[in-house]
Amino acid sequence: MRTYKKKIFNIMEEVVEDNLNSIIESGKIDFCTCDKCLNDIAAIALNSLRPKYVSTSEGAVIARIEKLKDQLNVDIYEKLVLAIETVKKNPHH
Ligand SMILES: [Zn+2]
């Protein structure tokens, strides 16, 4: 019996993770960086962004992310800032 084993990735998850880390590193925005808040922020941002699923091996995914990063960063940055504000106003702790 063949069963389907998921081998697709939403590369937006990687790009969001990456962008969120740069925001934290930049120190430009003051917000709680506990695991709970960061995951809430990532979830809110990802829900407001169109997912980009790719079906490839992991190496190829990384190559695609690198290519897409520059064109996606501005949009993702804006969504992340909005998500940060949302979580800041209403933290789950
Ligand atoms: Zn927190």
Side-chain angles (χ1 to χ4, degrees), residues 32-38 87 91-93:
C32 177
T33 53
C34 75
D35 272 357
K36 223 176 168 74
C37 287
L38 291 180
V87 171
H92 284 158
H93 59 68

Side-chain angles (χ1 to χ4, degrees), residues 4-90:
Y4 169 59
K5 175 100 178 60
K6 181 178 83 75
K7 275 199 180 141
I8 54 172
F9 305 83
N10 175 9
I11 61 171
M12 295 305 270
E13 292 180 12
E14 313 302 321
V15 185
V16 159
E17 183 184 39
D18 220 73
N19 271 268
L20 188 48
N21 280 324
S22 346
I23 291 174
I24 296 166
E25 275 170 34
S26 80
K28 278 185 198 151
I29 307 173
D30 182 41
F31 62 105
C32 177
T33 53
C34 75
D35 272 357
K36 223 176 168 74
C37 287
L38 291 180
N39 279 299
D40 280 347
I41 291 164
I44 293 168
L46 280 164
N47 280 334
S48 65
L49 289 158
R50 262 178 74 89
K52 266 196 205 301
Y53 286 101
V54 293
S55 160
T56 46
S57 69
E58 205 150 344
V61 169
I62 292 162
R64 275 219 225 180
I65 293 168
E66 289 305 321
K67 252 178 103 179
L68 273 165
K69 256 182 194 165
D70 287 340
Q71 61 190 89
L72 291 170
N73 274 352
V74 176
D75 199 31
I76 291 170
Y77 183 85
E78 279 169 15
K79 301 281 191 216
L80 275 170
V81 171
L82 285 174
I84 288 168
E85 293 306 323
T86 306
V87 171
K88 223 170 147 176
K89 269 182 228 154
N90 213 344

